[in-house]
Amino acid sequence: MSFPEISKIIGQKIKTLRLEMKISQQDLAAACNFEKSNLARIEAGRTNPTVGTLEKICQALNVPISKLFESIE
């Protein structure tokens, strides 16, 4: 599996978790201390986020970082 494919899967997982928790992109981005446009790119899989960025997102969503990788084989 390529990095772009992995980025898309992770982004979709973040979006799914965010929507399940009924959190807007703006609110999640603010909780992570970055711009909404950055979160939008991550959710769309158009960027390769760092582990630190993923950790911030997971902390804001109150899930372990491993949750993002559950569906990746």
Side-chain angles (χ1 to χ4, degrees):
M1 188 175 293
S2 69
F3 283 121
E5 291 170 324
I6 293 169
S7 291
K8 286 181 183 181
I9 291 169
I10 290 172
Q12 184 59 50
K13 187 68 172 181
I14 291 168
K15 182 177 181 179
T16 299
L17 290 167
R18 177 179 61 77
L19 292 174
E20 285 174 0
M21 297 180 72
K22 297 182 171 100
I23 299 172
S24 70
Q25 267 189 344
Q26 181 65 46
D27 289 342
L28 181 55
C32 297
N33 199 29
F34 47 76
E35 298 292 323
K36 179 184 173 231
S37 60
N38 291 342
L39 181 60
R41 281 194 297 277
I42 291 168
E43 286 187 353
R46 293 190 313 260
T47 187
N48 189 13
T50 65
V51 173
T53 296
L54 295 177
E55 182 61 29
K56 284 182 185 180
I57 292 169
C58 288
Q59 284 177 352
L61 293 172
N62 198 30
V63 297
I65 196 167
S66 59
K67 187 87 171 161
L68 300 180
F69 299 93
E70 286 178 347
S71 60
I72 298 175
E73 298 178 7

